Amino acid sequence: MTAADSDERSVLPAFVADRSDLLEEVVKFAITGGSGLVANLALLYVLVETGTIPERYAAIVSTLTVLLGSFALTNWWVFTDADASNSQSGLLKRGLSYYGIMGVGKLVNYGIYLGLLAVDVWYPLAWFVGSALVFFGTFSMNRLLWYRTD
């Protein structure tokens, strides 16, 4: 066994631990996002089916409503090992960045939604497809946000 082999073996447990943490965060982000998606779809359905708001606009209302609570859950449960400051300024900075990231993701999602509506895809399915397609992008950007060092 060479010194290089020894160094490689000592790095392996840290790499595996990092992968385990990453997988846990992906699963937690998926659960958080999935619960938000269910709430979003439920509100979208109620708004459309009661005739309150047309499909195009109901997605905006339901998304903004659900996003209000998603930051708190993400901050409290998903990225718990992050070295992020919980001071008011740290929370405000992460909150603003989170809503910026999620806003861009939701705009992409909304574009996909409108495109699918244009080809007569059922509106809940159209929203689900858009959400699934932007999931890993929003997760990756949020993970970078929580773990960055300023």
Side-chain angles (χ1 to χ4, degrees):
M1 179 163 74
T2 67
D5 292 337
S6 176
D7 287 342
E8 200 172 292
R9 285 190 186 142
S10 66
V11 172
L12 187 59
F15 176 78
V16 172
D18 289 345
R19 291 292 183 199
S20 174
D21 291 345
L22 177 61
L23 178 60
E24 181 179 335
E25 288 171 351
V26 168
V27 169
K28 286 181 174 180
F29 195 78
I31 291 168
T32 301
S35 65
L37 178 60
V38 168
N40 195 327
L41 287 170
L43 184 54
L44 176 64
Y45 183 82
V46 167
L47 292 172
V48 171
E49 295 304 317
T50 60
T52 307
I53 301 177
E55 295 168 351
R56 301 176 81 91
Y57 306 113
I60 296 168
V61 172
S62 64
T63 297
L64 292 175
T65 302
V66 170
L67 270 179
L68 291 174
S70 67
F71 171 72
L73 190 55
T74 301
N75 190 55
W76 170 75
W77 189 54
V78 177
F79 298 115
T80 56
D81 292 335
D83 235 356
S85 165
N86 282 320
S87 67
Q88 285 183 338
S89 63
L91 284 173
L92 178 62
K93 188 175 183 179
R94 280 197 317 277
L96 291 173
S97 296
Y98 174 82
Y99 286 115
I101 291 165
M102 297 307 287
V104 169
K106 295 303 178 184
L107 284 173
V108 171
N109 189 353
Y110 188 65
I112 294 166
Y113 174 75
L114 291 177
L116 292 173
L117 287 180
V119 294
D120 291 327
V121 172
W122 184 46
Y123 69 93
L125 179 59
W127 190 259
F128 177 83
V129 168
S131 296
L133 290 173
V134 301
F135 171 80
F136 282 104
T138 57
F139 170 78
S140 299
M141 293 304 296
N142 276 296
R143 189 167 199 279
L144 287 172
L145 164 71
W146 258 264
Y147 285 99
R148 75 173 176 213
T149 55
D150 293 325

